[in-house]
């Protein structure tokens, strides 16, 4: 599984021998690979006008290109805001609630993200093909897809430690611009164009996986909520800045504490573990039918609905398993 | 009929070929595959509709929709055969005589006494006694002993002490279908009660002294309050329209000390249509999230569920918090009234949240009080306008509550789904006919078997591992949030997409926890045995001899479960959702079709729909084996299997 940003083909259909050679070396003689472009074919084509574009088949003959349009940026941010609004307002009727849930389109985004990640995973697992994922910048939907695909495919990413490693690798070090994306959360009506809840979308998809495979993730909802909180506001330096370079310039490592160090302390860790976990060596394929994708009430209704009875249930589960 | 294809709804490529059989009671499809020969059994009683679709090149499609929401798509090669099957099924699915129903031929191989015992499992007299009646305020009345007063009521009803036979009879004449106010639930703690009836025949101005006295008697039976609520579960408009037909509702001016309230639950026709619309959504092929949510909203289904729940909450509050008695009615007092009374009872009394208590609740508020099972669920061929998912809605309310209060119910989702299944299956005699009177005339108890006994025997499958009788959620009244809480209601895919295993969580937490519980219990028993043995050894041997005692290592025991994770699950078709993507340029046209994703055969355990087994809830079942019981010190074992070795390793 590879990731990158878009090729700078531009309106004049520029070519780059080095790039073609690099992609060429990845595939064996006669082998075919997939390029999963997270923009619609139209959007990708239009990107040429501003210097970007797609890999032309003639220059990259061994690669087949697939387009799966995933929303990012402003549409995603608006979707998020609308959903939070819908949850916060006591709706007079069930019809209004469902209508508002639908019009936020948040669940559609979850479905699309999971489907795309599954597609990437299928290419790897079922077609035995290498996959290159990119969108435009390679810092948003690209990371969403590669991180989720790994969770689906690789059981070691599903342990607490493995998951932290996945986050470090595929989100933090890969350069997802946390500082820009996680600034004001739902209250920001995309006035700042850079605000967008990609990381939250990722966490939501992880939660969907945990709901469909409750025994296969070593961590529970608490961890996901904690990560969500820390991405926006944190006592730790882990999610600071927009890239490794910025973190180095700001001397983050020297002047802050790591979230992982705190989470992994024994007295903290047990809060985040899933008592139902047992190692599942297989690939976990989620269902992306609408009935299988649910609203992550634990996050979106966190301060709205009383969670007492569900917390009690969780405690009971822990009690049962710990004997 | 041979060479019939059974299509998979989610993937039309996954068709299996087999032979279709029609028997007197079932439709059976047997797969041709040499090793599997998987069978799909459908009871004729379960068939809701059969649709013969246009013949295509591959054959003649036949779509069977079941009352338990299973949808079976068959393709029969010859049009002539298809027509024959169609005509036969139409006849078989619409029995005209009770004797045609499966319960009269079903034979679980029990003797006469066992059958009788099965029927005695749920005893309503016991239940009323448990509630605390008869007492100073309530008495049992046999005025209806020959069904002379009301033929849809039971022979024994509980009425207020001051309600004489004269009052009862007079009131019954003033009530639709003669369903006079009778006790549904009595709250020992504060003497408040829930009574139920049908609408009064008040028209615009009619009055009835005995009926007014009846309501007064109910009020007097609760010295803690000087008024009662009268709750009409219909929308106000409907109730008012009824007045033109000489029926209607209680006028606060005529009935002293009542507070009247409309709750606004729609009628059976609205509910039937609502379910129909929702099932259409479930049948969509590859719906988008929007399609689904729009469809769900359009159906209005969750709105109706919430309305029933809100009504139950209102009544429970009135009884538990205000200590005020409530009289509930709708039109005829056998649909919405039953739903609302049973939801309220469930909220009020933790007994009804136990397995036994739930059976008792259904027996009391649905069976004994004359809910028209035959008409509503089509035991026999009848008026399609009478069909309505009334008890289905109640069962769903229970499920919604279970989702909100996971520790509060002794039983699990599978229990509910099984009950719903058997209400339609007519495999047992509990839900036949329209009233107690009809059931006695048909001698149901002598000629059929009781579902309750069957479920009770298999109760280990239906337990909720999170239930503890000493848990806070199982004490006293449940208080679901009233508002805002539209978002708390979920679509019940376990019921409405029951047979689409791919849709549900792939691992069952319930089964896992039940196995854990069982194992813990076994370990504890084993520990006891070992400790006893240790004590004996220490007593009988000298201190020189070393005694080997093995520590039970709890953390190792779960090594057992990992072996069961190897039930592989297969990816669905992630690439066929073409409509949500913009049209592609020709150069990329073939990209997707090149990705033919091969699908293995799911090695899942499909529900065994044969007559004698229980229906699975469609949840992928990683049932874990517990080690065989009986602890032995390893040194004493001869041939132990590897599992035991793992779990006993110290």
């Amino acid at each position: 599984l590879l990731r990158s940003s878009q090729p700078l083909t531009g309106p004049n259909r520029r070519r780059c021998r080095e790039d073609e050679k690099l992609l060429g070396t990845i595939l064996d003689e006669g082998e075919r690979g997939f390029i999963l472009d997270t923009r619609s074919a139209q959007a990708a084509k239009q990107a040429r006008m501003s210097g970007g574009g797609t890999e032309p088949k003639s220059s990259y003959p061994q690669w087949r290109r697939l387009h799966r349009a995933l929303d990012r940026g402003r549409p995603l941010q608006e979707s998020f805001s609308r959903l939070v609004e819908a949850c916060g307002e006591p709706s007079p009727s069930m019809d209004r609630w469902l209508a508002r849930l639908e019009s936020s389109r948040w669940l559609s985004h979850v479905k699309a993200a999971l489907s795309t990640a599954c597609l990437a995973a299928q290419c790897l697992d079922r077609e035995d093909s290498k996959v290159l994922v990119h969108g435009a910048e390679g810092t948003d939907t690209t990371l969403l897809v590669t991180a989720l695909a790994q969770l689906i495919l690789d059981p070691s990413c599903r342990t607490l430690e493995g998951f932290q490693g996945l986050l470090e690798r595929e989100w933090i070090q890969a350069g997802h611009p946390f500082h820009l994306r996680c600034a004001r959360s739902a209250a920001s009506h995309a006035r700042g164009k850079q605000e967008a809840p990609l990381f939250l979308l990722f966490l939501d998809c992880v939660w969907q996986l945990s709901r469909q495979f409750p025994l296969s993730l070593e961590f529970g909802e608490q961890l996901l909520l904690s990560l969500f909180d820390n991405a926006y506001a944190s006592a730790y330096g882990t999610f600071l800045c927009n890239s490794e370079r910025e973190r180095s310039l700001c001397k983050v490592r020297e002047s802050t504490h790591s979230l992982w160090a705190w989470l992994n302390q024994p007295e903290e860790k047990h809060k985040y573990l899933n008592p139902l976990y047992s190692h599942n060596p297989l690939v976990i394929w989620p269902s992306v039918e609408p009935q299988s994708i649910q609203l992550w009430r634990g996050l979106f209704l966190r301060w709205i609905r009383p969670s007492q009875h569900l917390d009690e249930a969780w405690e009971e589960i822990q009690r049962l398993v710990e004997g | 009929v041979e060479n019939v294809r059974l299509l998979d709804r989610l993937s039309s490529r996954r068709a299996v070929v087999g032979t279709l059989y029609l028997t007197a009671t079932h439709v059976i499809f047997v797969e041709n595959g040499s090793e599997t020969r998987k069978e799909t059994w459908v009871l004729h009683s379960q068939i809701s509709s059969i649709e013969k679709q246009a013949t295509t090149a591959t054959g003649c499609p036949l779509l069977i929709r079941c009352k338990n929401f299973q949808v079976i798509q068959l393709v029969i090669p010859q049009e002539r055969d298809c027509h024959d099957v169609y005509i036969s099924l139409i006849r078989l699915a619409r029995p005209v005589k009770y004797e045609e129903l499966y319960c009269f031929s079903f034979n679980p191989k029990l003797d006469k006494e066992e059958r009788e015992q099965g029927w005695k499992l749920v005893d309503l007299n016991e239940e009323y006694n448990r509630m605390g009646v008869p007492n100073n305020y309530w008495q049992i009345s046999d005025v209806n002993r020959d069904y002379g007063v009301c033929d849809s009521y039971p022979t024994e009803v509980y009425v207020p002490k001051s309600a004489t036979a004269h009052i009862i009879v007079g009131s019954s004449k003033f009530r639709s279908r003669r369903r006079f106010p009778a006790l549904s639930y009595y709250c020992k703690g504060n003497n408040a009660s829930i009574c139920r009836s049908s609408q009064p025949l008040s028209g615009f101005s009619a009055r009835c002294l005995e009926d007014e006295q009846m309501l007064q008697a109910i009020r007097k039976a609760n010295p803690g309050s000087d008024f009662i609520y009268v709750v009409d579960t219909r929308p106000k408009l409907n109730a008012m329209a009824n007045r033109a037909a000489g029926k209607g509702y209680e006028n606060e001016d005529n009935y002293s000390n009542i507070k009247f309230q409309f709750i606004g639950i729609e009628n059976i026709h609205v509910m039937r249509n609502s379910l129909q619309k929702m099932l259409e959504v479930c049948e969509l092929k590859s719906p988008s999230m929007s399609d689904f949510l729009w469809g769900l909203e359009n159906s209005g289904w969750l709105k109706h569920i919430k309305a029933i729940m809100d009504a139950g909450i209102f009544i429970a509050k009135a009884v538990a918090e205000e200590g005020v008695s409530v009289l509930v009615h709708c039109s005829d007092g056998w649909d919405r009234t039953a739903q609302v009374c049973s939801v309220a009872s469930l909220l009020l009394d933790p007994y009804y949240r136990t397995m036994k208590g739930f059976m008792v609740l259904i027996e009391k508020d649905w069976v004994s009080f004359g809910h028209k099972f035959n008409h509503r669920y089509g035991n026999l061929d009848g008026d399609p306008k009478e069909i309505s998912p009334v008890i289905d809605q109640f069962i769903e309310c229970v499920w919604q509550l279970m989702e909100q209060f996971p520790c509060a119910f002794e039983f699990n989702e599978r229990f509910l789904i099984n009950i719903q299944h058997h209400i339609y299956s007519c495999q047992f005699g509990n839900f036949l006919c329209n009233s107690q009177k009809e059931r006695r005339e048909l001698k149901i108890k002598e000629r059929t078997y009781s579902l309750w006994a069957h479920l009770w025997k298999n109760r280990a499958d239906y337990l909720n591992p999170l239930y503890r009788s000493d848990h806070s959620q199982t004490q006293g009244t449940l208080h679901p949030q009233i508002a805002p809480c539209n978002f708390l209601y979920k679509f019940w895919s376990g019921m409405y997409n029951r047979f689409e295993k791919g849709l549900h969580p792939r691992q069952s937490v319930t089964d896992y926890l039940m196995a854990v519980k069982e194992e813990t219990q076994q370990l504890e028993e084993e520990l006891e045995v070992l400790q006893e043995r240790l004590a004996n050894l220490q007593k009988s041997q000298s201190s020189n001899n070393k005694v080997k005692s093995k520590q039970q290592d709890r953390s190792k025991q779960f090594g057992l479960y990992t072996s069961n994770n190897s039930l592989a699950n297969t990816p669905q078709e992630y690439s066929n959702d073409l409509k949500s993507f913009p049209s592609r340029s020709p150069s990329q046209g073939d990209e997707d079709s090149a990705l033919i994703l091969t699908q293995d055969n799911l090695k899942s355990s499909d529900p065994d729909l044969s007559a004698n087994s229980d229906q699975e809830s469609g949840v992928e079942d990683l049932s874990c084996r517990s080690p065989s019981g009986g602890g032995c010190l390893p040194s004493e074992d001869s041939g132990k299997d590897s599992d035991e070795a793992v779990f006993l390793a110290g």
Side-chain angles (χ1 to χ4, degrees):
Chain A
L1 183 64
L2 302 125
R3 53 175 156 78
S4 71
S5 55
Q6 66 179 322
L8 299 175
T9 321
N12 297 325
R13 295 176 191 268
R14 267 202 310 247
R15 288 183 66 167
C16 169
R17 305 268 172 227
E18 289 88 347
D19 192 76
E20 291 167 28
K21 203 165 180 193
L22 182 59
L23 283 190
T25 57
I26 291 166
L27 296 178
D28 294 330
E29 184 80 39
E31 197 188 342
R32 304 250 270 161
F34 289 99
I35 297 177
L36 187 51
D37 190 326
T38 60
R39 302 165 295 178
S40 68
Q42 206 176 10
K45 211 165 161 192
Q46 273 172 352
R48 279 198 293 166
M49 297 311 140
S50 39
T54 57
E55 296 83 347
K57 201 155 168 64
S58 48
S59 315
Y60 300 83
Q62 286 174 278
W63 294 87
R64 278 179 294 183
R65 191 153 32 95
L66 298 172
H67 285 272
R68 284 293 178 270
L70 292 180
D71 274 339
R72 74 213 69 205
R74 188 176 301 204
L76 195 63
Q77 179 63 23
E78 277 179 8
S79 174
F80 178 38
S81 299
R82 268 200 230 116
L83 176 59
V84 170
E85 248 179 73
C87 292
E89 249 181 60
S91 60
S93 72
M94 182 70 72
D95 296 342
R96 285 284 299 147
W97 158 250
L98 286 171
R100 296 186 73 186
L101 179 62
E102 192 283 324
S103 79
S104 77
R105 297 195 46 86
W106 179 259
L107 293 179
S108 302
H109 292 129
V110 174
K111 181 181 196 304
L114 273 174
S115 301
T116 308
C118 287
L119 190 59
Q122 254 177 332
C123 293
L124 287 157
D125 185 74
R126 298 278 153 150
E127 301 290 310
D128 273 330
S129 291
K130 301 183 171 84
V131 182
L132 168 65
V133 183
H134 71 73
E137 303 303 301
T139 54
D140 294 275
T141 53
T142 305
L143 305 181
L144 179 60
V145 172
T146 57
L148 278 177
Q150 287 176 60
L151 260 178
I152 288 168
L153 290 166
D154 186 352
S156 68
C157 292
R158 297 181 222 133
T159 61
L160 182 59
E161 195 183 317
F163 187 63
Q164 288 173 34
L166 180 71
L167 292 172
E168 262 294 318
R169 230 174 29 248
E170 295 300 315
W171 285 91
I172 297 171
Q173 289 177 19
H176 178 70
F178 278 97
H179 182 70
L180 290 171
R181 296 283 179 269
C182 301
R184 297 235 168 281
S185 183
S188 159
H189 282 271
R191 237 178 304 142
K193 269 204 312 174
Q194 296 288 344
E195 175 100 36
L198 269 313
F199 188 58
L200 170 59
L201 184 55
F202 168 70
L203 294 175
D204 196 325
C205 291
V206 178
W207 180 81
Q208 305 288 342
L209 281 173
S210 77
R211 204 190 67 85
Q212 295 195 28
F213 297 92
L215 311 183
S216 296
L217 299 182
E218 196 185 21
F219 47 90
E221 187 182 46
Q222 249 335 102
L223 179 68
L224 301 176
L225 291 172
S226 186
L227 288 169
F228 171 72
D229 289 339
N230 278 281
Y232 286 93
S234 182
Y236 304 90
T238 306
F239 289 107
L240 281 180
C241 304
N242 291 311
S243 63
E244 280 299 280
R245 180 170 168 274
E246 281 185 25
R247 281 184 274 274
S248 168
L249 286 172
C250 295
K251 300 207 191 308
V252 165
R253 286 214 155 74
E254 292 88 329
S255 24
T256 67
H257 291 282
S258 158
L259 177 65
W260 309 136
W262 173 69
L263 277 180
N264 290 323
Q265 290 173 101
E267 54 278 22
E268 287 301 315
K269 200 167 162 178
H270 76 91
K271 287 190 222 157
Y272 300 107
L273 289 172
N274 171 17
L276 300 170
Y277 173 68
S278 78
H279 174 74
N280 179 355
L282 302 169
V283 178
I284 53 176
W285 299 106
S287 158
V288 297
E289 296 296 312
Q291 293 93 320
S292 308
I293 296 179
Q294 286 192 11
L295 176 65
W296 185 7
R297 290 174 173 84
L299 182 107
F300 291 104
L301 302 177
R302 195 172 173 192
W303 314 109
I304 298 169
R305 60 124 200 235
S307 63
Q308 173 201 355
H309 303 109
L310 298 172
D311 291 339
E312 284 169 2
W314 193 244
E315 276 160 28
E316 190 62 24
I317 291 176
Q318 278 176 314
R319 197 190 68 88
L320 277 175
V321 174
E322 281 153 24
Chain B
V1 182
E2 295 184 337
N3 291 320
V4 174
R5 295 205 337 274
L6 175 65
L7 303 183
D8 179 305
R9 187 188 84 78
L10 283 178
S11 158
S12 48
R13 281 184 225 128
R14 279 223 300 262
V16 280
V17 184
T19 309
L20 186 71
Y21 299 88
L22 257 60
T23 72
T25 48
H26 291 79
V27 182
I28 309 169
F29 177 84
V30 183
E31 267 180 45
N32 276 347
S34 48
E35 6 137 317
T36 46
R37 281 191 63 79
K38 200 178 83 152
E39 298 179 355
T40 304
W41 289 55
V42 178
L43 270 171
H44 294 317
S45 304
Q46 285 286 3
I47 297 177
S48 168
S49 73
I50 311 144
E51 197 185 311
K52 194 159 154 279
Q53 295 165 327
T55 308
T56 65
T58 52
C60 195
L62 198 66
L63 188 65
I64 302 175
R65 289 192 183 85
C66 298
K67 300 171 188 174
N68 62 3
F69 313 115
Q70 187 171 17
V71 179
I72 297 182
Q73 171 92 63
L74 299 167
V75 179
I76 299 176
Q78 300 283 352
E79 209 275 336
R80 195 184 358 105
D81 290 332
C82 183
H83 187 73
D84 282 344
V85 170
Y86 175 68
I87 297 294
S88 310
L89 279 181
I90 295 233
R91 175 63 187 83
L92 289 167
R94 296 189 191 158
V96 291
K97 287 191 319 222
Y98 280 112
E99 283 72 10
E100 295 179 53
L101 294 175
Y102 187 44
C103 52
F104 290 101
S105 53
F106 171 59
N107 179 12
K109 311 237 183 336
L110 298 172
D111 65 34
K112 197 160 90 90
E113 200 190 300
E114 280 167 316
R115 187 214 302 254
E116 237 178 79
Q117 278 306 109
W119 284 106
K120 294 210 178 98
L121 184 66
V122 171
D123 181 337
L124 286 184
N125 270 321
E126 244 177 62
E127 170 54 16
Y128 284 107
N129 290 342
R130 183 199 69 87
M131 272 193 234
V133 294
N135 63 13
N136 288 335
Y137 304 111
W138 295 90
Q139 63 184 353
I140 197 173
S141 167
D142 67 347
V143 72
N144 199 37
R145 62 189 163 276
D146 296 313
Y147 304 106
V149 177
C150 173
D151 65 0
S152 59
Y153 263 10
T155 48
E156 290 176 343
V157 284
Y158 282 79
V159 295
K161 259 285 167 55
S162 50
T164 62
H166 171 76
I167 290 177
I168 297 172
V169 173
S171 168
S172 79
K173 295 201 178 124
F174 194 63
R175 292 275 164 182
S176 174
R177 318 280 180 175
R178 318 232 263 141
R179 292 170 68 86
F180 56 88
L183 180 72
S184 166
Y185 179 72
Y186 171 72
C187 182
K188 228 189 312 226
N190 58 11
N191 294 312
S193 65
I194 304 176
C195 294
R196 56 184 291 179
S197 71
S198 58
Q199 65 184 320
L201 303 174
S202 51
F204 287 102
S205 59
R207 290 181 71 159
C208 167
L209 181 64
E210 289 83 7
D211 193 72
E212 289 168 29
Q213 286 172 331
M214 189 63 169
L215 266 63
Q216 277 200 41
I218 294 174
R219 178 178 55 81
K220 282 190 267 186
N222 179 9
S225 167
D226 55 7
F227 72 98
I228 66 169
Y229 282 110
V230 175
V231 167
D232 187 330
T233 58
R234 298 170 294 181
K236 184 166 181 182
L237 233 52
N238 299 28
M240 284 173 64
N242 265 281
R243 283 197 298 183
K247 304 179 205 175
Y249 54 94
E250 293 82 349
N251 186 335
E252 275 184 6
D253 296 333
N254 299 341
Y255 291 83
S256 57
N257 301 318
I258 69 165
K259 279 206 188 133
F260 187 83
Q261 184 100 7
F262 282 112
I263 300 257
I265 301 172
E266 301 287 348
N267 64 33
I268 57 169
H269 310 292
V270 173
M271 301 309 192
R272 183 179 56 247
N273 289 330
S274 176
L275 178 64
Q276 182 58 37
K277 286 216 194 98
M278 191 170 72
L279 293 178
E280 279 165 22
V281 177
C282 295
E283 275 190 42
L284 291 173
K285 294 232 185 311
S286 310
S288 69
M289 202 71 214
S290 287
D291 292 338
F292 178 72
L293 288 173
W294 270 120
L296 193 58
E297 190 209 310
N298 265 333
S299 73
W301 181 258
L302 288 180
K303 181 177 69 173
H304 300 312
I305 297 292
K306 180 166 186 290
I308 297 164
M309 190 81 90
D310 284 346
I313 293 171
F314 173 83
I315 293 167
K317 256 184 147 200
V319 168
E321 290 176 27
E322 297 180 61
V324 177
S325 294
V326 186
L327 171 66
V328 188
H329 70 77
C330 45
S331 298
D332 294 324
W334 46 41
D335 292 313
R336 288 164 280 194
T337 302
Q339 290 173 326
V340 159
C341 288
S342 22
V343 171
S345 303
L346 202 60
L347 293 172
L348 285 167
D349 193 334
Y351 176 64
Y352 299 125
R353 293 175 234 139
T354 64
M355 214 181 281
K356 182 88 185 302
F358 191 69
M359 299 195 238
V360 167
L361 182 65
I362 294 186
E363 196 62 39
K364 176 169 69 77
D365 274 317
W366 295 82
V367 177
S368 79
F369 269 103
H371 177 67
K372 298 197 297 173
F373 284 93
N374 177 25
H375 283 175
R376 293 287 174 265
Y377 313 115
N379 306 157
L380 300 181
D381 190 32
D383 181 1
K385 292 226 163 45
E386 291 276 343
I387 304 273
S388 191
V390 182
I391 203 169
D392 306 58
Q393 287 182 320
F394 163 65
I395 291 173
E396 176 162 346
C397 286
V398 182
W399 178 76
Q400 299 282 357
L401 281 171
M402 270 168 55
E403 290 286 295
Q404 291 186 41
F405 299 93
C407 300
F409 292 82
E410 191 188 27
F411 46 85
N412 62 28
E413 184 190 30
R414 200 176 294 148
F415 185 64
L416 293 178
I417 293 181
N418 256 277
I419 292 177
Q420 192 266 3
H421 178 91
H422 283 299
I423 285 170
Y424 289 97
S425 78
C426 301
Q427 183 174 327
F428 300 92
N430 308 62
F431 310 114
L432 255 45
C433 310
N434 287 328
S435 66
Q436 192 189 71
K437 174 166 187 272
E438 286 181 27
R439 279 184 287 275
R440 286 198 185 166
E441 281 166 6
L442 263 174
K443 296 203 194 316
I444 295 292
K445 292 194 177 169
E446 287 88 331
R447 300 161 70 190
T448 68
Y449 294 85
S450 166
L451 172 66
W452 303 138
H454 172 80
L455 291 177
W456 189 249
K457 197 166 69 175
N458 294 314
R459 60 188 176 282
D461 289 341
Y462 305 123
L463 290 173
N464 169 17
L466 298 180
Y467 175 79
R468 254 191 306 131
S469 56
D470 58 348
H471 193 280
S472 62
Q473 280 181 31
T474 64
Q475 310 301 316
T477 314
L478 279 184
H479 297 285
Q481 208 176 345
I482 310 182
C485 67
N486 289 312
F487 42 66
L488 292 179
Y489 288 85
K490 302 178 192 168
F491 171 76
W492 193 5
S493 66
M495 172 66 86
Y496 304 111
N497 288 117
R498 181 177 161 192
F499 294 95
E500 284 154 85
K501 299 193 78 75
L503 250 47
H504 308 127
R506 310 299 298 181
Q507 297 162 335
S508 165
V509 176
T510 299
D511 290 336
Y512 180 82
L513 290 174
M514 283 311 295
V516 167
K517 253 187 148 165
E518 207 182 300
E519 171 129 355
T520 304
Q521 202 177 356
Q522 287 197 352
L523 284 174
E524 282 170 0
E525 286 166 12
E526 218 155 306
L527 185 62
E528 261 179 55
V529 168
L530 287 172
Q531 281 175 337
E532 232 182 85
R533 206 177 271 187
L534 180 61
N536 287 338
L537 280 171
Q538 284 177 331
K539 263 192 281 178
S540 67
Q541 288 185 359
S542 64
S543 52
N544 288 353
N545 291 341
K546 285 201 194 104
V547 173
K548 286 197 182 88
S549 66
K550 293 287 179 186
Q551 226 22 56
Q552 309 290 350
D553 187 346
R554 288 280 161 99
S555 62
K556 289 262 176 72
Q557 71 192 239
F558 300 123
L560 275 178
Y561 302 120
T562 58
S563 57
N564 289 306
N565 271 327
S566 54
L567 270 176
N569 85 306
T570 54
Q572 67 173 87
E573 287 173 29
Y574 298 111
S575 62
N576 67 352
D577 190 8
L578 297 172
K579 62 180 159 173
S580 49
F581 297 109
S583 56
R584 292 192 220 92
S585 61
S587 63
Q588 302 149 19
D590 282 332
E591 308 293 24
D592 276 3
S593 51
L595 238 181
I596 304 291
L597 304 160
T598 54
Q599 311 257 357
D600 308 334
N601 284 324
L602 254 183
K603 292 186 184 61
S604 60
S605 49
D606 265 0
D608 174 22
L609 297 172
S610 62
N612 298 337
S613 69
D614 272 322
Q615 312 308 320
E616 285 303 312
S617 64
V619 175
E620 188 80 345
D621 202 1
L622 293 185
S623 55
C624 307
R625 308 180 310 280
S626 289
S628 50
C632 318
L633 293 174
S635 54
E636 291 177 59
D637 270 354
S638 44
K640 57 187 188 309
D641 65 358
S642 54
D643 284 348
E644 247 183 287
V646 166
F647 118 87
L648 281 175

